[in-house]
Amino acid sequence: MAEIAIRAVRKTYGKSEVVHGIDLDVTSGELVVILGPSGCGKSTLLRMVAGLETISDGEISIEGKVVNKLEPRERGCAMVFQNYALYPHMTVADNIGYALKIAGISKAERRERVQAVATSLGLAEFLDRKPGQLSGGQRQRVAMGRAMIREPKVFLYDEPLSNLDARLRVAMRVEIRKLHQRLGATTLFVTHDQIEAMTLADRIVVMNKGGIEQVGSPAEIYQRPATTYVAGFIGTPGLNLLPGIIDPEKGTVTLEDGQAVAYDRSRWPAAAPGPITIGFRAEAVELGSGGLSGQYDFSEELGAAQLVHGTVAKSSVIAHVVGSSVRKAGEPLSFRIAPEHVQLFDQSGRRLSGEKRPTVSLDAASDIVQERPVLLPA
């Protein structure tokens, strides 16, 4: 096992900087997911750790040793790619054992180690097949086996599940988590899928436009997003966000149409009068009279629940509602949000400073983080 330290790492292509001074520590045995949209620099960062991209500035160390100038094979990392990168003319056994063959390991020992890895991944019966004869999930397991057999210090996954269908993605998430628990290897996992991140990670690194927006546990990032960007990106759906004017004396935020939303003043004692953005999760919204007035737009059926979409003060609001009901577009709809569920962000999009910890613990919130994606399409 090995810790990874990333210090002020930058990457430029010509005059364009795509990674802007990243600082990150990954402890030995930790599974860290780097999450962000396409083009945010997450795969570039991973490839710099692997040695597949040169570092324009900064320093990366693995197990206390600076690796900036080391070749990929000297870093003790094994990488699993999105496209599997298997040799099509080789059998599964030859693909898994290829690194041992290059290293000069005897044929008998190779066979024994390949068999052990294949058995652990459920591939023992496919060792004589070639990649073209396997399903997507089986090919991905072969790629994982090829990485495992090297017994690396660090596992690096570059969007390994993107080419799989929804059912296989769920199955492979389970396999990857079991593999990590069994081997305990330090792992960096890159994805654009927030459900993958929430279900796999010990910690999540949310990236945006080449920088880090927030680092934290899945429950922490879900319950206390540091920015409106993270708030909208994490969760299915993301946080409801509405602009307004805050009045700390009354403990309310007035929306654009004059309606007011109460917030917990004890949680936000440093709030000052002025423009602000409020946020709240879909599961914190209750439908019924006595709340904000708006109109119904449409619903998404989730089987055991619905995502009810409506409009309030010219902004979209989504409610996660257990059960189902029939409505027509344009019908009046009322939303209630308890003050303790309202979160506040300043005009720059940062979480309002001076917040006191919410009464709901992050342990309790983790139930929401783990269970909600089961209700939603992957």
Side-chain angles (χ1 to χ4, degrees), residues 93 96-101 103-121 127 145-152:
I96 293 175
Y98 186 70
L100 300 184
K101 182 178 180 180
I105 304 298
S106 69
K107 190 172 182 179
E109 184 179 346
R110 288 204 313 268
R111 186 184 304 113
E112 183 179 343
R113 289 174 62 177
V114 166
Q115 184 67 43
V117 168
T119 299
S120 71
L121 291 171
L127 287 175
R146 188 177 55 186
M148 286 171 58
I149 204 165
R150 294 175 52 194
E151 299 178 352

Side-chain angles (χ1 to χ4, degrees), residues 208-231:
N208 180 31
K209 297 180 180 179
I212 291 178
E213 291 272 333
Q214 186 174 1
V215 180
S217 70
E220 183 178 6
I221 286 179
Y222 186 84
Q223 284 293 102
R224 303 184 68 250
T227 65
T228 52
Y229 173 82
V230 176

Side-chain angles (χ1 to χ4, degrees), residues 235-252:
T236 309
L239 211 69
N240 291 299
L241 296 168
L242 288 78
I245 304 296
I246 190 169
D247 185 342
E249 291 189 8
K250 295 181 179 178
T252 60

Side-chain angles (χ1 to χ4, degrees), residues 176-188:
I176 290 170
R177 191 68 205 186
K178 286 181 178 178
L179 175 65
H180 179 258
Q181 289 175 340
R182 186 166 68 250
L183 300 181
T186 307
T187 301
L188 281 177

Side-chain angles (χ1 to χ4, degrees), residues 243-269:
I245 304 296
I246 190 169
D247 185 342
E249 291 189 8
K250 295 181 179 178
T252 60
V253 176
T254 302
L255 305 180
E256 289 186 0
D257 64 354
Q259 296 188 84
V261 178
Y263 70 92
D264 184 356
R265 283 189 292 179
S266 65
R267 182 176 170 185
W268 308 92

Side-chain angles (χ1 to χ4, degrees), residues 15-29:
K15 296 181 179 180
S16 176
E17 186 174 72
V18 296
V19 175
H20 313 305
I22 296 292
D23 287 290
L24 179 66
D25 288 299
V26 181
T27 60
S28 184

Side-chain angles (χ1 to χ4, degrees), residues 69-97:
K69 296 183 179 180
L70 295 184
E71 293 294 320
R73 66 178 181 273
E74 301 174 303
R75 300 191 181 200
C77 300
M79 194 160 180
V80 180
F81 297 91
Q82 177 180 351
N83 63 356
Y84 318 134
L86 302 178
Y87 296 108
H89 63 287
M90 292 184 182
T91 64
V92 168
D94 290 338
N95 266 284
I96 293 175

Side-chain angles (χ1 to χ4, degrees), residues 253-298:
V253 176
T254 302
L255 305 180
E256 289 186 0
D257 64 354
Q259 296 188 84
V261 178
Y263 70 92
D264 184 356
R265 283 189 292 179
S266 65
R267 182 176 170 185
W268 308 92
I276 206 162
T277 297
I278 65 169
F280 47 87
R281 287 286 171 196
E283 62 268 14
V285 180
E286 296 181 18
L287 301 184
S289 59
L292 295 172
S293 296
Q295 73 171 29
Y296 171 78
D297 294 331
F298 64 93

